[in-house]
Amino acid sequence: MTDSLPPGLYIVATPIGNLGDITLRAADVLRRVALVVAEDTRVTAKLLHHLDLKKPLLAYHDHNADRARPEVLRRAAVEPVALVSDAGTPLISDPGYKLVREAHEAGIAVTTLPGPCAAIAGLTLSGLPTDRFLFAGFLPPKTVGRRKVLEELKPIAATLVFYESGPRLAACLADIAAVLGSREVAVAREITKLHEQVRRGLAPALAEALVAEPPPRGEIVLMVGPPVAEAVTAADVEALLRAALVDHPVKEAARLVAARTGESRSDLYRRALTLTGRT
Ligand code: SAM
């Protein structure tokens, strides 16, 4: 029968607010699976109701995962089983990675149906660099733990992406300003929902503004731009170039200093040739 799906685990992304964001394939697979494994069966029952589907549901969340996993694997070995979370992409700050790992180990087919993910949606709205980013999930709830993690993340040359809650946002931004300094930040709230909003600014200014306001409602993705390269003077560049030329040939020295300063590699190459007396 064309309607049957092969056995296996189907990782199904679901909307993060706007039900219109369910993909055609997600709706089709949810219609055809034998079982839907869900973080909160009541939340998923509402989505299935919206899709006009009635499916057997099995709860799989942080508190029962170890107990429930063998049953999910047993079922996925012989019939199609969908894994969904309350919203967005399963496994991203949501349960499921051990299930996927054990399914692979048991030789069970695993496939994914990509779709909404708050981290990626937030990044696209942020106006921050997207070529390199680090998703760090939720920061610790208290200042000491939060600042410790931020110290670890400080040197990373990438946009940092966090999930955060409204009541903690101001304190979190204050810690970001204290530890990471005056970096660009973007707060994306209620993405795909009626009150979708993006606020952008420098961490200290946004932290100050938020302290004076009631905590924002709804769900939040908080993003922090990469460290800004400190302004380098012409004298600094020359000193770096001279130092690099001690241990490296001209081309490599120019490449290294270009990576460090953002200066043009070909300009640096020409200057390095001059410094070494080759022009
Ligand atoms: N797996 C989900 C995903 O792919 O987006 C994320 C699950 S995580 C438990 C839930 C967090 O994602 C929320 O606390 C919030 O920080 C963020 N989030 C989810 N939906 C959002 C939305 N519509 N707008 C902004 N942030 C959202």
Side-chain angles (χ1 to χ4, degrees):
M1 192 171 107
T2 53
D3 219 34
S4 68
L5 276 177
L9 185 63
Y10 294 74
I11 303 160
V12 182
T14 57
I16 56 169
N18 187 326
L19 289 175
D21 289 336
I22 189 85
T23 68
L24 294 173
R25 201 168 149 234
D28 182 53
V29 164
L30 287 173
R31 181 175 62 81
R32 293 161 72 195
V33 290
L35 173 71
V36 177
V37 174
E39 197 186 353
D40 182 333
T41 53
R42 286 164 309 177
V43 171
T44 299
K46 282 188 199 152
L47 175 70
L48 294 177
H49 179 72
H50 171 78
L51 298 172
D52 212 9
L53 298 174
K54 243 181 139 28
K55 288 282 162 179
L57 285 157
L58 187 78
Y60 186 85
H61 46 68
D62 286 343
H63 305 292
N64 79 342
D66 289 341
R67 263 178 294 123
R69 206 174 306 119
E71 167 70 358
V72 178
L73 293 169
R74 195 182 60 71
R75 300 280 300 265
V78 294
E79 56 192 353
V81 172
L83 171 69
V84 300
S85 53
D86 287 355
T89 300
L91 282 84
I92 307 302
S93 284
D94 269 335
Y97 102 87
K98 287 186 181 165
L99 182 62
V100 170
R101 187 166 63 178
E102 291 187 23
H104 283 301
E105 284 164 6
I108 293 167
V110 180
T111 190
T112 191
L113 284 79
C117 174
I120 300 296
L123 258 180
T124 63
L125 286 172
S126 69
L128 295 171
T130 51
D131 54 335
R132 242 187 193 210
F133 61 88
L134 187 141
F135 172 65
F138 289 92
L139 281 165
K142 297 203 178 124
T143 284
V144 175
R146 193 158 52 213
R147 290 194 178 198
K148 191 163 168 270
V149 174
L150 288 169
E151 286 288 355
E152 286 167 22
L153 298 173
K154 190 173 179 176
I156 295 172
T159 294
L160 305 173
V161 184
F162 303 104
Y163 286 157
E164 197 42 273
S165 74
R168 282 207 284 261
L169 182 65
C172 182
L173 272 169
D175 286 340
I176 286 171
V179 177
L180 304 182
S182 194
R183 289 207 202 169
E184 277 192 284
V185 294
V187 176
R189 198 170 64 83
E190 296 288 85
I191 304 169
T192 76
K193 303 184 200 175
L194 187 61
H195 298 292
E196 179 177 290
Q197 181 198 44
V198 186
R199 282 177 83 171
R200 305 172 65 246
L202 294 176
L206 207 51
E208 207 181 300
L210 281 161
V211 167
E213 299 172 12
R217 289 168 192 267
E219 300 191 282
I220 288 165
V221 183
L222 169 60
M223 290 146 291
V224 184
V228 183
E230 281 166 30
V232 200
T233 64
D236 293 336
V237 175
E238 181 159 330
L240 287 169
L241 205 47
R242 282 185 192 281
L245 284 165
V246 173
D247 295 323
H248 301 282
V250 169
K251 198 171 164 194
E252 178 63 2
R255 190 190 67 75
L256 289 170
V257 177
R260 175 108 180 252
T261 61
E263 297 275 310
S264 139
R265 198 197 301 195
S266 53
D267 284 354
L268 289 166
Y269 181 73
R270 277 191 293 277
R271 284 158 75 180
L273 287 177
T274 310
L275 285 176
T276 51
R278 289 200 234 163
T279 54

